[in-house]
Amino acid sequence: MGKEWRLINFQASDAYTNMAIDEAIFLMREKLSLPPTLRFYSWQPPAISIGYFQKANDSLLNKYKIKKIIFVRRFTGGGAILHKDEITYSLTCSLDHFPLFKDVIKAQRIIHRAIILGLKNIGLNAKLSEKENKPDDYFCFAKPTSFDVVKEEKKIAGSAQRRKNKSFFQHGSILLNNEVLPRNIDKKEIVKNLIIGFERELKIRILPGELTKEEIELSRKLKEEKYARDEWNYKK
Amino acid sequence: MYPEDLKYTKTHEWIKVKENRGIIGITDFAVRRLTDLVYVELPSKGEKVTKGSSFGTIESVKAVFDLNSPVSGEVIKINEKLTNKPELITEDPYGEGWMIEVKLQDIAELNTLMDAKEYEKLTKEEEEK
C-alpha cells in the first residue's frame, strides 16, 4: 500500500477553485480511502494565497489588493505567496503510507529533495537551505528558512502543511521565473520532470488519475461556501 | 511516563475530569512533534464540541494541526493566556498549557479513552514505526 500514487495532472484554475480542490482531496482521502495523491497546478488569473493564520489586513497584502489582485486564505500554514511564474503542488496521503511524514520537518525535507531531483532533470541546480532563519516575513519567498529549496541562496520553493488525524497534506510553491530557469521551458515539461523526482525520492509510482465524483462535488461546495467568501478570507 | 489522573486520545489530546467537567489539552508527546508553536485557535465559550471532531487548530512552523475533542459537550472556559503566549503549551502541557474546559454531555464517553499506561504503549508503538 502507498506505492502507487494518483496524479491529478497540471491545470490552471482560479484561486478559489484551486484551494477548494485541494481541501476536497484532503477531506475525502480518509472517508473514501483514496490513494496518496499528487496534484500540480497554476493560478489563472495570478493571485495571492495567505497562510491559515495570517492577517488579511496586513499592509504588504493591501498593496496587492489595491491592484485588484485577488487573494485567498489557505487551510495550510506558512506565509503569503504571489502565484505568478510558479508551479504549485499539493501532496496528500495517510501517515500509514508514509510514517516518516509524522515529523513536520522530515516530511518537508523529503518532499523538497524530490523537487530538487526533478529540477536537476531540467538543468536547474538547487539545494536544501542550511540557513537557520525563522519564518518571520509576511511573504513566504522573502528569505529561506531551514530546508527550503534554494538556488544560490535565493529561495525558490517553500511549503506548508495541514494535518488531521492520520491525514497528511503539504502545499508547496516552486518559483519559475526567467531568473530561476536555465532556459525557456514549458511548465508541463517541468511538471513531467518533477514527477520523476517524486517517484525516485519517495520510491513510488505515480499514475495518471482523476478526481472522484465526490471530490468534485465537495470542491464545488467548498468554493462556493468557503473560499470565494470574505467570511473565510478575512477571517483574521 | 504520562500523568495517571488523565485520560488520553489516540490523537494525543488529554482530558482531566472532575465531576461533569473536563479540562482538555495536548500531551508532551504531541508537543515534541510541534517545533516552535506559533498560533493556537480555540473555540468560544458556549460553543459545542463533539467527540473525535476538531475543536481548534494549532500552528507550528509551517504546519497547521487539527485538535480533536476527547468528549462531546459545551465549552465553559478557554485558556485566554494562550492567545499571546502559545509557548505555554510547550513549556507546561499538563498545567498552564491547558486549552479548554468542557461541560460533559455524556460521562460514558470517557470509557472509550485510554489511561496513562495504554497511552504510553501507543506512543511507544508510534515511535517505533
Side-chain angles (χ1 to χ4, degrees), chain A residues 124-139:
Chain A
L124 199 164
N125 282 318
K127 60 173 188 165
L128 291 178
S129 169
E130 288 154 10
K131 290 267 159 66
E132 293 279 325
N133 296 335
K134 297 256 180 224
D136 55 1
D137 275 285
Y138 193 76
F139 277 89

Side-chain angles (χ1 to χ4, degrees), chain A:
Chain A
M1 201 182 169
K3 294 285 176 202
E4 290 198 348
W5 287 45
R6 172 178 64 154
L7 173 73
I8 305 299
N9 217 346
F10 186 71
Q11 117 190 62
S13 303
D14 67 87
Y16 309 138
T17 304
N18 274 336
M19 291 302 94
I21 291 175
D22 276 347
E23 190 174 359
I25 296 173
F26 178 63
L27 294 177
M28 280 294 167
R29 193 211 62 76
E30 205 163 5
K31 214 171 166 188
L32 302 177
S33 301
L34 293 170
T37 300
L38 186 60
R39 172 177 176 238
F40 290 96
Y41 55 97
S42 66
W43 304 58
Q44 198 50 253
I48 286 178
S49 76
I50 62 172
Y52 182 75
F53 277 99
Q54 287 193 293
K55 288 201 170 26
N57 63 0
D58 190 276
S59 59
L60 285 165
L61 181 62
N62 285 338
K63 281 184 197 160
Y64 286 93
K65 281 194 265 185
I66 292 164
K67 292 183 200 161
K68 305 263 186 248
I69 289 182
I70 59 162
F71 83 98
V72 66
R73 182 180 300 282
R74 300 189 302 265
F75 68 104
T76 52
I81 292 173
L82 172 62
H83 297 276
K84 191 187 170 204
D85 299 327
E86 56 89 65
I87 288 173
T88 309
Y89 68 87
S90 73
L91 184 154
T92 320
C93 71
S94 158
L95 292 176
D96 288 336
H97 292 136
F98 257 90
L100 279 175
F101 284 177
K102 280 182 183 161
D103 184 298
V104 175
I105 305 297
K106 266 188 204 157
Q108 188 197 21
R109 212 162 50 197
I110 294 168
I111 295 168
H112 284 176
R113 277 206 302 257
I115 291 167
I116 290 170
L117 216 57
L119 294 176
K120 209 172 186 176
N121 292 341
I122 58 161
L124 199 164
N125 282 318
K127 60 173 188 165
L128 291 178
S129 169
E130 288 154 10
K131 290 267 159 66
E132 293 279 325
N133 296 335
K134 297 256 180 224
D136 55 1
D137 275 285
Y138 193 76
F139 277 89
C140 171
F141 283 108
K143 70 179 179 199
T145 55
S146 322
F147 310 120
D148 277 330
V149 180
V150 293
K151 183 194 173 196
E152 289 148 14
E153 302 309 320
K154 184 180 166 29
K155 179 169 176 175
I156 61 162
S159 60
Q161 296 171 15
R162 178 81 185 217
R163 288 155 180 267
K164 189 186 177 78
N165 301 334
K166 288 199 163 178
S167 291
F168 170 88
F169 182 95
Q170 180 162 315
H171 256 150
S173 169
I174 308 165
L175 196 63
L176 295 165
N177 56 27
N178 291 336
E179 280 171 46
V180 175
L181 286 174
R183 61 195 150 91
N184 200 355
I185 177 165
D186 182 60
K187 276 188 178 170
K188 284 190 175 159
E189 185 64 28
I190 300 170
V191 168
K192 215 193 277 176
N193 284 288
L194 287 169
I195 292 168
I196 297 170
F198 274 94
E199 285 191 317
R200 288 200 188 141
E201 183 64 34
L202 275 65
K203 300 185 179 59
I204 52 170
R205 282 185 68 206
I206 300 173
L207 308 171
E210 281 174 6
L211 293 171
T212 61
K213 194 172 86 230
E214 292 86 348
E215 287 169 310
I216 294 170
E217 271 168 24
L218 179 60
S219 73
R220 286 195 183 128
K221 193 171 145 61
L222 285 168
K223 178 182 175 179
E224 212 174 285
E225 294 174 9
K226 184 172 179 177
Y227 290 104
R229 286 180 180 250
D230 286 352
E231 287 91 328
W232 167 257
N233 291 322
Y234 283 91
K235 192 173 140 137
K236 288 177 196 292

